[in-house]
Amino acid sequence: RIRQLGRHLSKNIDNYYKKNYGKSIIGIKTYKVPNVGNHNYRQCYHNQKIILGSDSMPGYDWRSKIYKIETRNNKIFQNGINMLTTASSEVDWKKHFPSLKIIADNPYIQLGRYEKPTGWWLLLLPTLWGASIAYGHGYPPFYETLLFLVGAMSMRGAGCTINDMWDRKMDALVERTKSRPLASGRITMDQAIAFLGLQLTTGLLVLLQLNPFTQIVAVSSMGLVVLYPLMKRLTYFPQLVLGLTFNWGIFVGYASILNTLNPFIVGPLYLAGICWTMFYDTIYAHQDKKDDVDAGVKSTALYYGNNKKPLHLFIEGQVWFTLLSSIASYGVLPTLPFIYMLNLLRQHMHRTVQKLDLDDPNECMHVFKSNVWLGLFILFGFLTTNAIVNIFGLKTRKMTIQ
């Protein structure tokens, strides 16, 4: 990505040299300027300034000629690097939009994690998977999609509130979480309960807009929502319970479109989502593993340690179960492009894990947030398959079991 970015952003400087010296200088470290002489010029950066020199003319400073374009293009290059290597969920919105800082610093916003969109994206995407594979010929209706968005944000906020109510004493012992509203005392338990009621009411209003069967399916997940925070104290696999909870939206999305569930389609897709959640939340848990030991909190990060083999197994599970669900719905032929996409995704995820330093909290957070793009990639695969089915008039198998 950086090489591609370099080729793209070097055009302005390259055009300058084409105009003045008659030859392109695109390259990584060395190039030639024939009109000046057959010298191998070097480019280096020092204090944000480009200095050019050669073997025959050491120390020759070209800054007077390129200083104006150098300053502008250096900023473009750095911004481009940040743009490509940073997921949209990692953008510091408070820095780019200072007016949002007041909202983001509100303790109620922080209690529901509304200033951190990664969480509700990870809750929303499985719901859109289920709705897309059920819809079969395009994207789910806008109204249902809007309901899913509001529902994901409110229920994720409610889940975070319940989690902080359970863990307020433990959070005070962990460096990353000790500033949370309940742990720091900025919000009392009574205020948290009232805020929880507001979020659950919002989720209920969304639920009432769906068909009765979907309402029953959605309400069935509330036990898992309440149970998850307790699992941190009882088992090393709270990520499994989180996977069961976060991916329940697959059933909700599918049922909202067809008013039924096909176990041969939603079953494998649900298992794929669980593998995905265990993958990204195990990486997420590595940020706090030292503090978790002192606080008595258990996680798959502590159970597996720095062993990356389970992460690779979760990748395989996600890809293969997604493939099985797609074939069960669309058949083999329409799924061929999606198979190719899943293979690319599988290779990328394996390379990411191989390079990942599990002892680096910043790197773990970066990989965790990048899973939003992974989920969007799978959603794009379902939508692409829907388009293929629609264009060629193929029949899907989503209605074979009522």
Side-chain angles (χ1 to χ4, degrees):
R1 292 188 298 173
I2 292 177
R3 285 198 299 269
Q4 292 174 349
L5 180 67
R7 286 194 293 269
H8 174 70
L9 295 179
S10 62
K11 287 183 179 179
N12 289 332
I13 295 179
D14 184 53
N15 289 337
Y16 175 87
Y17 276 90
K18 284 182 179 179
K19 178 179 178 181
N20 290 274
Y21 303 110
K23 188 173 182 179
S24 171
I25 62 161
I26 286 184
I28 297 177
K29 292 184 179 180
T30 64
Y31 47 85
K32 292 184 178 182
V33 185
N35 289 1
V36 178
N38 193 20
H39 306 297
N40 290 326
Y41 287 85
R42 302 181 188 87
Q43 174 178 310
C44 63
Y45 288 86
H46 179 65
N47 295 330
Q48 303 299 317
K49 296 180 180 180
I50 297 179
I51 302 174
L52 302 177
S54 72
D55 295 332
S56 60
M57 293 188 297
Y60 186 83
D61 190 352
W62 288 53
R63 282 177 294 176
S64 60
K65 295 186 177 182
I66 67 169
Y67 180 75
K68 292 183 180 179
I69 65 164
E70 176 274 322
T71 303
R72 176 168 56 89
N73 283 282
N74 184 61
K75 291 180 180 178
I76 295 174
F77 182 79
Q78 294 297 333
N79 291 338
I81 289 289
N82 293 335
M83 176 186 67
L84 280 187
T85 57
T86 304
S88 62
S89 55
E90 294 180 87
V91 173
D92 188 354
W93 297 108
K94 291 187 288 185
K95 177 180 178 181
H96 295 286
F97 302 96
S99 59
L100 294 180
K101 187 176 187 302
I102 299 176
I103 300 176
D105 289 341
N106 184 284
Y108 291 101
I109 296 295
Q110 294 180 354
L111 182 61
R113 313 284 200 281
Y114 290 103
E115 83 285 9
K116 298 178 179 179
T118 303
W120 57 259
W121 266 114
L122 295 176
L123 182 61
L124 172 64
L125 284 168
T127 309
L128 296 181
W129 294 352
S132 298
I133 203 171
Y135 200 61
H137 58 277
Y139 193 77
F142 175 78
Y143 181 67
E144 279 76 4
T145 303
L146 181 61
L147 290 177
F148 296 152
L149 173 62
V150 176
M153 294 182 66
S154 60
M155 294 311 298
R156 186 256 183 167
C160 290
T161 302
I162 294 173
N163 181 78
D164 285 7
M165 291 169 66
W166 276 96
D167 294 342
R168 62 189 184 279
K169 294 182 180 180
M170 289 186 177
D171 286 344
L173 303 176
V174 178
E175 182 65 27
R176 187 178 58 84
T177 60
K178 66 181 182 182
S179 61
R180 288 178 176 175
L182 278 172
S184 61
R186 288 183 291 157
I187 287 181
T188 65
M189 278 293 291
D190 291 339
Q191 292 172 323
I193 292 173
F195 185 57
L196 174 62
L198 176 62
Q199 295 174 100
L200 291 177
T201 300
T202 303
L204 177 62
L205 292 176
V206 171
L207 186 63
L208 293 176
Q209 309 304 310
L210 303 175
N211 61 64
F213 180 72
T214 304
Q215 294 175 10
I216 296 174
V217 172
V219 171
S220 302
S221 67
M222 289 307 300
L224 292 171
V225 174
V226 177
L227 187 64
Y228 166 67
L230 183 61
M231 291 296 101
K232 298 178 182 179
R233 300 167 172 83
L234 301 179
T235 176
Y236 280 102
F237 295 92
Q239 281 72 23
L240 176 59
V241 182
L242 182 66
L244 295 171
T245 307
F246 256 49
N247 295 282
W248 199 266
I250 292 172
F251 300 137
V252 175
Y254 192 95
S256 67
I257 302 297
L258 296 179
N259 198 25
T260 187
L261 291 176
N262 184 331
F264 294 104
I265 296 175
V266 296
L269 190 58
Y270 187 53
L271 293 176
I274 293 173
C275 291
W276 181 43
T277 302
M278 293 195 69
F279 169 76
Y280 65 67
D281 204 58
T282 297
I283 294 174
Y284 182 84
H286 274 279
Q287 298 175 94
D288 304 324
K289 55 188 176 183
K290 294 181 181 179
D291 292 328
D292 285 348
V293 173
D294 298 332
V297 176
K298 299 177 180 180
S299 69
T300 49
L302 294 177
Y303 185 82
Y304 296 129
N306 287 340
N307 181 13
K308 294 183 178 180
K309 185 176 180 180
L311 295 177
H312 290 288
L313 292 177
F314 294 147
I315 293 171
E316 294 294 329
Q318 180 192 4
V319 170
W320 284 103
F321 282 127
T322 302
L323 178 60
L324 288 175
S325 177
S326 181
I327 292 176
S329 178
Y330 303 108
V332 176
L333 185 60
T335 312
L336 290 178
F338 195 23
I339 294 174
Y340 178 72
M341 295 172 64
L342 286 174
N343 185 49
L344 293 178
L345 179 65
R346 172 177 169 271
Q347 295 177 22
H348 169 73
M349 293 174 69
H350 282 304
R351 286 195 299 267
T352 299
V353 171
Q354 289 173 357
K355 298 177 182 178
L356 176 63
D357 182 4
L358 294 174
D359 294 322
D360 185 346
N362 292 329
E363 191 173 346
C364 289
M365 177 59 78
H366 175 80
V367 173
F368 166 74
K369 290 182 176 181
S370 68
N371 276 268
V372 172
W373 293 105
L374 188 153
L376 287 170
F377 187 84
I378 293 178
L379 176 62
F380 176 74
F382 284 129
L383 297 179
T384 301
T385 309
N386 287 350
I388 293 173
V389 170
N390 187 38
I391 291 172
F392 294 99
L394 302 175
K395 295 182 179 180
T396 65
R397 303 175 184 175
K398 57 181 179 295
M399 294 295 291
T400 56
I401 296 181
Q402 299 295 331

